[in-house]
Amino acid sequence: MDLEGRAPQHVRSERVRLDAVTADDVDDLVAIGRSLEHVWWTFPPVDLPDRSAAAALVDAVVAAWARDGLGYWTVRDPGSRVVLGFGGCSQLRAPTWNLYYRARPSAQGRGLAAEVLQVACDWARAVDPDVPVTAVIRAQNVRAADDVQQVGLSLVHQDDDGGDQARRVYADRDLPAATLAGLLGAFPAS
């Protein structure tokens, strides 16, 4: 891929510091994954039950940064450097810049998700504006829907079944049928 640019691995937003995910973040990923096990409406599902699963995700994210020029950041309090969450966007599962954000329960409800997602959207558009920015979320996750709409994404697909596994796909533009099908295949409902 011919990148127009590369996102910085260290960014400061209004309230947080964003650092590209590294192997040093594995234990924090596991802790955040475990703190979210009861939150069944997250999508894609949080599946970081142990260090090996978290380490595999870190390896994939590091490779994404090298390949695509953008990936996930570790979200830190700028003063204490305490890890508040993880977020950004990547092309790990589909040929779109798919947004992702997870936070410790103590960091939720403060508007940090929308702030991090806005930084991610801005950099995705700078790195490769031809790739759509998307988010796949569970239909019941109203908070995530609000966050992605705040950063300019619109609903482009909703599963018809309406059950617990129903997905909503948001994007910053209309998606070709093949792109939508690939995205839905990358994030299966069950």
Side-chain angles (χ1 to χ4, degrees), residues 130-155:
D130 295 330
V131 175
V133 177
T134 62
V136 181
I137 63 172
R138 292 211 190 281
Q140 297 88 347
N141 195 343
V142 176
R143 184 180 292 170
D146 289 344
D147 290 336
V148 299
Q149 289 176 76
Q150 281 184 39
V151 300
L153 276 61
S154 301
L155 182 67

mmCIF file with all atom_site columns, all heavy atoms in Angstrom, residues 130-155:
data_model
loop_
_atom_site.group_PDB
_atom_site.id
_atom_site.type_symbol
_atom_site.label_atom_id
_atom_site.label_alt_id
_atom_site.label_comp_id
_atom_site.label_asym_id
_atom_site.label_entity_id
_atom_site.label_seq_id
_atom_site.pdbx_PDB_ins_code
_atom_site.Cartn_x
_atom_site.Cartn_y
_atom_site.Cartn_z
_atom_site.occupancy
_atom_site.B_iso_or_equiv
_atom_site.pdbx_formal_charge
_atom_site.auth_seq_id
_atom_site.auth_comp_id
_atom_site.auth_asym_id
_atom_site.auth_atom_id
_atom_site.pdbx_PDB_model_num
ATOM 1   N N   . ASP A 1 130 ? -8.716  7.048   1.064  1.00 0.00 ? 130 ASP A N   1
ATOM 2   C CA  . ASP A 1 130 ? -9.532  6.206   0.187  1.00 0.00 ? 130 ASP A CA  1
ATOM 3   C C   . ASP A 1 130 ? -10.145 5.024   0.923  1.00 0.00 ? 130 ASP A C   1
ATOM 4   O O   . ASP A 1 130 ? -11.057 4.378   0.409  1.00 0.00 ? 130 ASP A O   1
ATOM 5   C CB  . ASP A 1 130 ? -8.704  5.699   -0.996 1.00 0.00 ? 130 ASP A CB  1
ATOM 6   C CG  . ASP A 1 130 ? -8.266  6.836   -1.905 1.00 0.00 ? 130 ASP A CG  1
ATOM 7   O OD1 . ASP A 1 130 ? -9.006  7.851   -1.988 1.00 0.00 ? 130 ASP A OD1 1
ATOM 8   O OD2 . ASP A 1 130 ? -7.186  6.723   -2.520 1.00 0.00 ? 130 ASP A OD2 1
ATOM 9   N N   . VAL A 1 131 ? -9.641  4.720   2.120  1.00 0.00 ? 131 VAL A N   1
ATOM 10  C CA  . VAL A 1 131 ? -10.158 3.598   2.906  1.00 0.00 ? 131 VAL A CA  1
ATOM 11  C C   . VAL A 1 131 ? -11.260 4.121   3.824  1.00 0.00 ? 131 VAL A C   1
ATOM 12  O O   . VAL A 1 131 ? -11.032 5.067   4.581  1.00 0.00 ? 131 VAL A O   1
ATOM 13  C CB  . VAL A 1 131 ? -9.031  2.930   3.727  1.00 0.00 ? 131 VAL A CB  1
ATOM 14  C CG1 . VAL A 1 131 ? -9.569  1.839   4.629  1.00 0.00 ? 131 VAL A CG1 1
ATOM 15  C CG2 . VAL A 1 131 ? -7.956  2.369   2.793  1.00 0.00 ? 131 VAL A CG2 1
ATOM 16  N N   . PRO A 1 132 ? -12.459 3.519   3.772  1.00 0.00 ? 132 PRO A N   1
ATOM 17  C CA  . PRO A 1 132 ? -13.544 3.999   4.635  1.00 0.00 ? 132 PRO A CA  1
ATOM 18  C C   . PRO A 1 132 ? -13.241 3.785   6.116  1.00 0.00 ? 132 PRO A C   1
ATOM 19  O O   . PRO A 1 132 ? -12.575 2.818   6.491  1.00 0.00 ? 132 PRO A O   1
ATOM 20  C CB  . PRO A 1 132 ? -14.745 3.141   4.232  1.00 0.00 ? 132 PRO A CB  1
ATOM 21  C CG  . PRO A 1 132 ? -14.347 2.354   3.059  1.00 0.00 ? 132 PRO A CG  1
ATOM 22  C CD  . PRO A 1 132 ? -12.864 2.418   2.922  1.00 0.00 ? 132 PRO A CD  1
ATOM 23  N N   . VAL A 1 133 ? -13.746 4.683   6.938  1.00 0.00 ? 133 VAL A N   1
ATOM 24  C CA  . VAL A 1 133 ? -13.684 4.526   8.389  1.00 0.00 ? 133 VAL A CA  1
ATOM 25  C C   . VAL A 1 133 ? -15.009 3.897   8.812  1.00 0.00 ? 133 VAL A C   1
ATOM 26  O O   . VAL A 1 133 ? -16.082 4.389   8.430  1.00 0.00 ? 133 VAL A O   1
ATOM 27  C CB  . VAL A 1 133 ? -13.475 5.871   9.112  1.00 0.00 ? 133 VAL A CB  1
ATOM 28  C CG1 . VAL A 1 133 ? -13.486 5.685   10.630 1.00 0.00 ? 133 VAL A CG1 1
ATOM 29  C CG2 . VAL A 1 133 ? -12.170 6.520   8.653  1.00 0.00 ? 133 VAL A CG2 1
ATOM 30  N N   . THR A 1 134 ? -14.941 2.801   9.581  1.00 0.00 ? 134 THR A N   1
ATOM 31  C CA  . THR A 1 134 ? -16.141 2.063   9.959  1.00 0.00 ? 134 THR A CA  1
ATOM 32  C C   . THR A 1 134 ? -16.123 1.730   11.447 1.00 0.00 ? 134 THR A C   1
ATOM 33  O O   . THR A 1 134 ? -15.086 1.823   12.107 1.00 0.00 ? 134 THR A O   1
ATOM 34  C CB  . THR A 1 134 ? -16.245 0.738   9.166  1.00 0.00 ? 134 THR A CB  1
ATOM 35  O OG1 . THR A 1 134 ? -15.117 -0.090  9.491  1.00 0.00 ? 134 THR A OG1 1
ATOM 36  C CG2 . THR A 1 134 ? -16.299 0.983   7.671  1.00 0.00 ? 134 THR A CG2 1
ATOM 37  N N   . ALA A 1 135 ? -17.271 1.300   11.922 1.00 0.00 ? 135 ALA A N   1
ATOM 38  C CA  . ALA A 1 135 ? -17.396 0.760   13.278 1.00 0.00 ? 135 ALA A CA  1
ATOM 39  C C   . ALA A 1 135 ? -18.484 -0.302  13.229 1.00 0.00 ? 135 ALA A C   1
ATOM 40  O O   . ALA A 1 135 ? -19.547 -0.068  12.657 1.00 0.00 ? 135 ALA A O   1
ATOM 41  C CB  . ALA A 1 135 ? -17.756 1.847   14.278 1.00 0.00 ? 135 ALA A CB  1
ATOM 42  N N   . VAL A 1 136 ? -18.208 -1.450  13.809 1.00 0.00 ? 136 VAL A N   1
ATOM 43  C CA  . VAL A 1 136 ? -19.187 -2.524  13.925 1.00 0.00 ? 136 VAL A CA  1
ATOM 44  C C   . VAL A 1 136 ? -19.482 -2.677  15.412 1.00 0.00 ? 136 VAL A C   1
ATOM 45  O O   . VAL A 1 136 ? -18.573 -2.934  16.199 1.00 0.00 ? 136 VAL A O   1
ATOM 46  C CB  . VAL A 1 136 ? -18.653 -3.849  13.346 1.00 0.00 ? 136 VAL A CB  1
ATOM 47  C CG1 . VAL A 1 136 ? -19.705 -4.942  13.457 1.00 0.00 ? 136 VAL A CG1 1
ATOM 48  C CG2 . VAL A 1 136 ? -18.202 -3.664  11.900 1.00 0.00 ? 136 VAL A CG2 1
ATOM 49  N N   . ILE A 1 137 ? -20.747 -2.480  15.782 1.00 0.00 ? 137 ILE A N   1
ATOM 50  C CA  . ILE A 1 137 ? -21.114 -2.541  17.191 1.00 0.00 ? 137 ILE A CA  1
ATOM 51  C C   . ILE A 1 137 ? -22.394 -3.355  17.361 1.00 0.00 ? 137 ILE A C   1
ATOM 52  O O   . ILE A 1 137 ? -23.157 -3.545  16.415 1.00 0.00 ? 137 ILE A O   1
ATOM 53  C CB  . ILE A 1 137 ? -21.294 -1.136  17.810 1.00 0.00 ? 137 ILE A CB  1
ATOM 54  C CG1 . ILE A 1 137 ? -22.445 -0.389  17.138 1.00 0.00 ? 137 ILE A CG1 1
ATOM 55  C CG2 . ILE A 1 137 ? -20.013 -0.334  17.734 1.00 0.00 ? 137 ILE A CG2 1
ATOM 56  C CD1 . ILE A 1 137 ? -22.800 0.912   17.812 1.00 0.00 ? 137 ILE A CD1 1
ATOM 57  N N   . ARG A 1 138 ? -22.609 -3.832  18.544 1.00 0.00 ? 138 ARG A N   1
ATOM 58  C CA  . ARG A 1 138 ? -23.863 -4.512  18.855 1.00 0.00 ? 138 ARG A CA  1
ATOM 59  C C   . ARG A 1 138 ? -24.981 -3.474  18.877 1.00 0.00 ? 138 ARG A C   1
ATOM 60  O O   . ARG A 1 138 ? -24.795 -2.345  19.345 1.00 0.00 ? 138 ARG A O   1
ATOM 61  C CB  . ARG A 1 138 ? -23.783 -5.204  20.205 1.00 0.00 ? 138 ARG A CB  1
ATOM 62  C CG  . ARG A 1 138 ? -22.817 -6.363  20.190 1.00 0.00 ? 138 ARG A CG  1
ATOM 63  C CD  . ARG A 1 138 ? -23.240 -7.440  21.152 1.00 0.00 ? 138 ARG A CD  1
ATOM 64  N NE  . ARG A 1 138 ? -22.218 -8.442  21.307 1.00 0.00 ? 138 ARG A NE  1
ATOM 65  C CZ  . ARG A 1 138 ? -21.991 -9.421  20.427 1.00 0.00 ? 138 ARG A CZ  1
ATOM 66  N NH1 . ARG A 1 138 ? -22.710 -9.510  19.348 1.00 0.00 ? 138 ARG A NH1 1
ATOM 67  N NH2 . ARG A 1 138 ? -21.034 -10.301 20.642 1.00 0.00 ? 138 ARG A NH2 1
ATOM 68  N N   . ALA A 1 139 ? -26.129 -3.864  18.389 1.00 0.00 ? 139 ALA A N   1
ATOM 69  C CA  . ALA A 1 139 ? -27.260 -2.937  18.299 1.00 0.00 ? 139 ALA A CA  1
ATOM 70  C C   . ALA A 1 139 ? -27.634 -2.350  19.655 1.00 0.00 ? 139 ALA A C   1
ATOM 71  O O   . ALA A 1 139 ? -28.070 -1.208  19.747 1.00 0.00 ? 139 ALA A O   1
ATOM 72  C CB  . ALA A 1 139 ? -28.459 -3.637  17.662 1.00 0.00 ? 139 ALA A CB  1
ATOM 73  N N   . GLN A 1 140 ? -27.456 -3.120  20.740 1.00 0.00 ? 140 GLN A N   1
ATOM 74  C CA  . GLN A 1 140 ? -27.825 -2.640  22.075 1.00 0.00 ? 140 GLN A CA  1
ATOM 75  C C   . GLN A 1 140 ? -26.837 -1.643  22.662 1.00 0.00 ? 140 GLN A C   1
ATOM 76  O O   . GLN A 1 140 ? -27.115 -1.025  23.676 1.00 0.00 ? 140 GLN A O   1
ATOM 77  C CB  . GLN A 1 140 ? -27.945 -3.832  23.050 1.00 0.00 ? 140 GLN A CB  1
ATOM 78  C CG  . GLN A 1 140 ? -29.015 -4.811  22.694 1.00 0.00 ? 140 GLN A CG  1
ATOM 79  C CD  . GLN A 1 140 ? -28.500 -5.897  21.740 1.00 0.00 ? 140 GLN A CD  1
ATOM 80  O OE1 . GLN A 1 140 ? -27.420 -5.793  21.158 1.00 0.00 ? 140 GLN A OE1 1
ATOM 81  N NE2 . GLN A 1 140 ? -29.280 -6.948  21.580 1.00 0.00 ? 140 GLN A NE2 1
ATOM 82  N N   . ASN A 1 141 ? -25.680 -1.484  22.059 1.00 0.00 ? 141 ASN A N   1
ATOM 83  C CA  . ASN A 1 141 ? -24.646 -0.627  22.617 1.00 0.00 ? 141 ASN A CA  1
ATOM 84  C C   . ASN A 1 141 ? -24.888 0.826   22.195 1.00 0.00 ? 141 ASN A C   1
ATOM 85  O O   . ASN A 1 141 ? -24.217 1.364   21.327 1.00 0.00 ? 141 ASN A O   1
ATOM 86  C CB  . ASN A 1 141 ? -23.257 -1.114  22.190 1.00 0.00 ? 141 ASN A CB  1
ATOM 87  C CG  . ASN A 1 141 ? -22.159 -0.491  23.010 1.00 0.00 ? 141 ASN A CG  1
ATOM 88  O OD1 . ASN A 1 141 ? -22.358 0.517   23.676 1.00 0.00 ? 141 ASN A OD1 1
ATOM 89  N ND2 . ASN A 1 141 ? -20.981 -1.080  22.957 1.00 0.00 ? 141 ASN A ND2 1
ATOM 90  N N   . VAL A 1 142 ? -25.843 1.450   22.853 1.00 0.00 ? 142 VAL A N   1
ATOM 91  C CA  . VAL A 1 142 ? -26.253 2.805   22.517 1.00 0.00 ? 142 VAL A CA  1
ATOM 92  C C   . VAL A 1 142 ? -25.107 3.798   22.734 1.00 0.00 ? 142 VAL A C   1
ATOM 93  O O   . VAL A 1 142 ? -24.920 4.725   21.939 1.00 0.00 ? 142 VAL A O   1
ATOM 94  C CB  . VAL A 1 142 ? -27.498 3.204   23.346 1.00 0.00 ? 142 VAL A CB  1
ATOM 95  C CG1 . VAL A 1 142 ? -27.898 4.643   23.089 1.00 0.00 ? 142 VAL A CG1 1
ATOM 96  C CG2 . VAL A 1 142 ? -28.647 2.256   23.041 1.00 0.00 ? 142 VAL A CG2 1
ATOM 97  N N   . ARG A 1 143 ? -24.332 3.598   23.775 1.00 0.00 ? 143 ARG A N   1
ATOM 98  C CA  . ARG A 1 143 ? -23.217 4.526   24.062 1.00 0.00 ? 143 ARG A CA  1
ATOM 99  C C   . ARG A 1 143 ? -22.204 4.522   22.922 1.00 0.00 ? 143 ARG A C   1
ATOM 100 O O   . ARG A 1 143 ? -21.748 5.575   22.474 1.00 0.00 ? 143 ARG A O   1
ATOM 101 C CB  . ARG A 1 143 ? -22.540 4.151   25.371 1.00 0.00 ? 143 ARG A CB  1
ATOM 102 C CG  . ARG A 1 143 ? -21.442 5.150   25.754 1.00 0.00 ? 143 ARG A CG  1
ATOM 103 C CD  . ARG A 1 143 ? -20.758 4.791   27.036 1.00 0.00 ? 143 ARG A CD  1
ATOM 104 N NE  . ARG A 1 143 ? -21.682 4.939   28.146 1.00 0.00 ? 143 ARG A NE  1
ATOM 105 C CZ  . ARG A 1 143 ? -21.423 4.506   29.372 1.00 0.00 ? 143 ARG A CZ  1
ATOM 106 N NH1 . ARG A 1 143 ? -20.289 3.896   29.640 1.00 0.00 ? 143 ARG A NH1 1
ATOM 107 N NH2 . ARG A 1 143 ? -22.293 4.684   30.337 1.00 0.00 ? 143 ARG A NH2 1
ATOM 108 N N   . ALA A 1 144 ? -21.850 3.332   22.428 1.00 0.00 ? 144 ALA A N   1
ATOM 109 C CA  . ALA A 1 144 ? -20.899 3.256   21.314 1.00 0.00 ? 144 ALA A CA  1
ATOM 110 C C   . ALA A 1 144 ? -21.480 3.890   20.054 1.00 0.00 ? 144 ALA A C   1
ATOM 111 O O   . ALA A 1 144 ? -20.769 4.573   19.304 1.00 0.00 ? 144 ALA A O   1
ATOM 112 C CB  . ALA A 1 144 ? -20.495 1.811   21.053 1.00 0.00 ? 144 ALA A CB  1
ATOM 113 N N   . ALA A 1 145 ? -22.781 3.677   19.820 1.00 0.00 ? 145 ALA A N   1
ATOM 114 C CA  . ALA A 1 145 ? -23.425 4.298   18.662 1.00 0.00 ? 145 ALA A CA  1
ATOM 115 C C   . ALA A 1 145 ? -23.332 5.821   18.754 1.00 0.00 ? 145 ALA A C   1
ATOM 116 O O   . ALA A 1 145 ? -23.040 6.493   17.755 1.00 0.00 ? 145 ALA A O   1
ATOM 117 C CB  . ALA A 1 145 ? -24.877 3.847   18.558 1.00 0.00 ? 145 ALA A CB  1
ATOM 118 N N   . ASP A 1 146 ? -23.560 6.360   19.935 1.00 0.00 ? 146 ASP A N   1
ATOM 119 C CA  . ASP A 1 146 ? -23.439 7.811   20.126 1.00 0.00 ? 146 ASP A CA  1
ATOM 120 C C   . ASP A 1 146 ? -22.016 8.279   19.838 1.00 0.00 ? 146 ASP A C   1
ATOM 121 O O   . ASP A 1 146 ? -21.813 9.304   19.182 1.00 0.00 ? 146 ASP A O   1
ATOM 122 C CB  . ASP A 1 146 ? -23.830 8.205   21.548 1.00 0.00 ? 146 ASP A CB  1
ATOM 123 C CG  . ASP A 1 146 ? -25.324 8.072   21.817 1.00 0.00 ? 146 ASP A CG  1
ATOM 124 O OD1 . ASP A 1 146 ? -26.116 7.963   20.850 1.00 0.00 ? 146 ASP A OD1 1
ATOM 125 O OD2 . ASP A 1 146 ? -25.699 8.071   23.016 1.00 0.00 ? 146 ASP A OD2 1
ATOM 126 N N   . ASP A 1 147 ? -21.028 7.518   20.338 1.00 0.00 ? 147 ASP A N   1
ATOM 127 C CA  . ASP A 1 147 ? -19.622 7.894   20.140 1.00 0.00 ? 147 ASP A CA  1
ATOM 128 C C   . ASP A 1 147 ? -19.256 7.939   18.660 1.00 0.00 ? 147 ASP A C   1
ATOM 129 O O   . ASP A 1 147 ? -18.627 8.891   18.198 1.00 0.00 ? 147 ASP A O   1
ATOM 130 C CB  . ASP A 1 147 ? -18.687 6.934   20.878 1.00 0.00 ? 147 ASP A CB  1
ATOM 131 C CG  . ASP A 1 147 ? -18.765 7.078   22.387 1.00 0.00 ? 147 ASP A CG  1
ATOM 132 O OD1 . ASP A 1 147 ? -19.161 8.155   22.881 1.00 0.00 ? 147 ASP A OD1 1
ATOM 133 O OD2 . ASP A 1 147 ? -18.426 6.091   23.084 1.00 0.00 ? 147 ASP A OD2 1
ATOM 134 N N   . VAL A 1 148 ? -19.636 6.907   17.902 1.00 0.00 ? 148 VAL A N   1
ATOM 135 C CA  . VAL A 1 148 ? -19.233 6.884   16.490 1.00 0.00 ? 148 VAL A CA  1
ATOM 136 C C   . VAL A 1 148 ? -20.000 7.910   15.669 1.00 0.00 ? 148 VAL A C   1
ATOM 137 O O   . VAL A 1 148 ? -19.467 8.451   14.698 1.00 0.00 ? 148 VAL A O   1
ATOM 138 C CB  . VAL A 1 148 ? -19.309 5.467   15.872 1.00 0.00 ? 148 VAL A CB  1
ATOM 139 C CG1 . VAL A 1 148 ? -18.374 4.516   16.612 1.00 0.00 ? 148 VAL A CG1 1
ATOM 140 C CG2 . VAL A 1 148 ? -20.714 4.929   15.810 1.00 0.00 ? 148 VAL A CG2 1
ATOM 141 N N   . GLN A 1 149 ? -21.229 8.218   16.069 1.00 0.00 ? 149 GLN A N   1
ATOM 142 C CA  . GLN A 1 149 ? -21.957 9.270   15.365 1.00 0.00 ? 149 GLN A CA  1
ATOM 143 C C   . GLN A 1 149 ? -21.358 10.642  15.659 1.00 0.00 ? 149 GLN A C   1
ATOM 144 O O   . GLN A 1 149 ? -21.351 11.514  14.780 1.00 0.00 ? 149 GLN A O   1
ATOM 145 C CB  . GLN A 1 149 ? -23.433 9.215   15.738 1.00 0.00 ? 149 GLN A CB  1
ATOM 146 C CG  . GLN A 1 149 ? -24.125 7.989   15.124 1.00 0.00 ? 149 GLN A CG  1
ATOM 147 C CD  . GLN A 1 149 ? -25.560 7.862   15.563 1.00 0.00 ? 149 GLN A CD  1
ATOM 148 O OE1 . GLN A 1 149 ? -26.413 8.599   15.083 1.00 0.00 ? 149 GLN A OE1 1
ATOM 149 N NE2 . GLN A 1 149 ? -25.807 6.935   16.489 1.00 0.00 ? 149 GLN A NE2 1
ATOM 150 N N   . GLN A 1 150 ? -20.817 10.824  16.867 1.00 0.00 ? 150 GLN A N   1
ATOM 151 C CA  . GLN A 1 150 ? -20.167 12.098  17.204 1.00 0.00 ? 150 GLN A CA  1
ATOM 152 C C   . GLN A 1 150 ? -18.956 12.357  16.326 1.00 0.00 ? 150 GLN A C   1
ATOM 153 O O   . GLN A 1 150 ? -18.595 13.512  16.098 1.00 0.00 ? 150 GLN A O   1
ATOM 154 C CB  . GLN A 1 150 ? -19.718 12.095  18.669 1.00 0.00 ? 150 GLN A CB  1
ATOM 155 C CG  . GLN A 1 150 ? -20.808 12.362  19.647 1.00 0.00 ? 150 GLN A CG  1
ATOM 156 C CD  . GLN A 1 150 ? -20.250 12.432  21.070 1.00 0.00 ? 150 GLN A CD  1
ATOM 157 O OE1 . GLN A 1 150 ? -19.169 12.967  21.301 1.00 0.00 ? 150 GLN A OE1 1
ATOM 158 N NE2 . GLN A 1 150 ? -20.995 11.894  22.017 1.00 0.00 ? 150 GLN A NE2 1
ATOM 159 N N   . VAL A 1 151 ? -18.296 11.290  15.846 1.00 0.00 ? 151 VAL A N   1
ATOM 160 C CA  . VAL A 1 151 ? -17.108 11.472  15.016 1.00 0.00 ? 151 VAL A CA  1
ATOM 161 C C   . VAL A 1 151 ? -17.429 11.407  13.523 1.00 0.00 ? 151 VAL A C   1
ATOM 162 O O   . VAL A 1 151 ? -16.544 11.287  12.696 1.00 0.00 ? 151 VAL A O   1
ATOM 163 C CB  . VAL A 1 151 ? -15.970 10.496  15.405 1.00 0.00 ? 151 VAL A CB  1
ATOM 164 C CG1 . VAL A 1 151 ? -15.547 10.716  16.848 1.00 0.00 ? 151 VAL A CG1 1
ATOM 165 C CG2 . VAL A 1 151 ? -16.351 9.045   15.150 1.00 0.00 ? 151 VAL A CG2 1
ATOM 166 N N   . GLY A 1 152 ? -18.733 11.485  13.192 1.00 0.00 ? 152 GLY A N   1
ATOM 167 C CA  . GLY A 1 152 ? -19.127 11.631  11.801 1.00 0.00 ? 152 GLY A CA  1
ATOM 168 C C   . GLY A 1 152 ? -19.500 10.368  11.053 1.00 0.00 ? 152 GLY A C   1
ATOM 169 O O   . GLY A 1 152 ? -19.668 10.408  9.836  1.00 0.00 ? 152 GLY A O   1
ATOM 170 N N   . LEU A 1 153 ? -19.673 9.251   11.738 1.00 0.00 ? 153 LEU A N   1
ATOM 171 C CA  . LEU A 1 153 ? -20.093 8.032   11.062 1.00 0.00 ? 153 LEU A CA  1
ATOM 172 C C   . LEU A 1 153 ? -21.621 7.933   11.087 1.00 0.00 ? 153 LEU A C   1
ATOM 173 O O   . LEU A 1 153 ? -22.256 8.395   12.028 1.00 0.00 ? 153 LEU A O   1
ATOM 174 C CB  . LEU A 1 153 ? -19.476 6.795   11.720 1.00 0.00 ? 153 LEU A CB  1
ATOM 175 C CG  . LEU A 1 153 ? -18.056 6.428   11.261 1.00 0.00 ? 153 LEU A CG  1
ATOM 176 C CD1 . LEU A 1 153 ? -17.062 7.525   11.548 1.00 0.00 ? 153 LEU A CD1 1
ATOM 177 C CD2 . LEU A 1 153 ? -17.614 5.133   11.893 1.00 0.00 ? 153 LEU A CD2 1
ATOM 178 N N   . SER A 1 154 ? -22.170 7.318   10.052 1.00 0.00 ? 154 SER A N   1
ATOM 179 C CA  . SER A 1 154 ? -23.619 7.135   9.928  1.00 0.00 ? 154 SER A CA  1
ATOM 180 C C   . SER A 1 154 ? -23.935 5.656   9.793  1.00 0.00 ? 154 SER A C   1
ATOM 181 O O   . SER A 1 154 ? -23.128 4.880   9.254  1.00 0.00 ? 154 SER A O   1
ATOM 182 C CB  . SER A 1 154 ? -24.151 7.863   8.691  1.00 0.00 ? 154 SER A CB  1
ATOM 183 O OG  . SER A 1 154 ? -23.873 9.235   8.770  1.00 0.00 ? 154 SER A OG  1
ATOM 184 N N   . LEU A 1 155 ? -25.114 5.274   10.211 1.00 0.00 ? 155 LEU A N   1
ATOM 185 C CA  . LEU A 1 155 ? -25.570 3.894   10.106 1.00 0.00 ? 155 LEU A CA  1
ATOM 186 C C   . LEU A 1 155 ? -25.718 3.512   8.635  1.00 0.00 ? 155 LEU A C   1
ATOM 187 O O   . LEU A 1 155 ? -26.425 4.191   7.892  1.00 0.00 ? 155 LEU A O   1
ATOM 188 C CB  . LEU A 1 155 ? -26.898 3.724   10.841 1.00 0.00 ? 155 LEU A CB  1
ATOM 189 C CG  . LEU A 1 155 ? -27.486 2.322   10.870 1.00 0.00 ? 155 LEU A CG  1
ATOM 190 C CD1 . LEU A 1 155 ? -26.611 1.381   11.689 1.00 0.00 ? 155 LEU A CD1 1
ATOM 191 C CD2 . LEU A 1 155 ? -28.899 2.359   11.466 1.00 0.00 ? 155 LEU A CD2 1
#
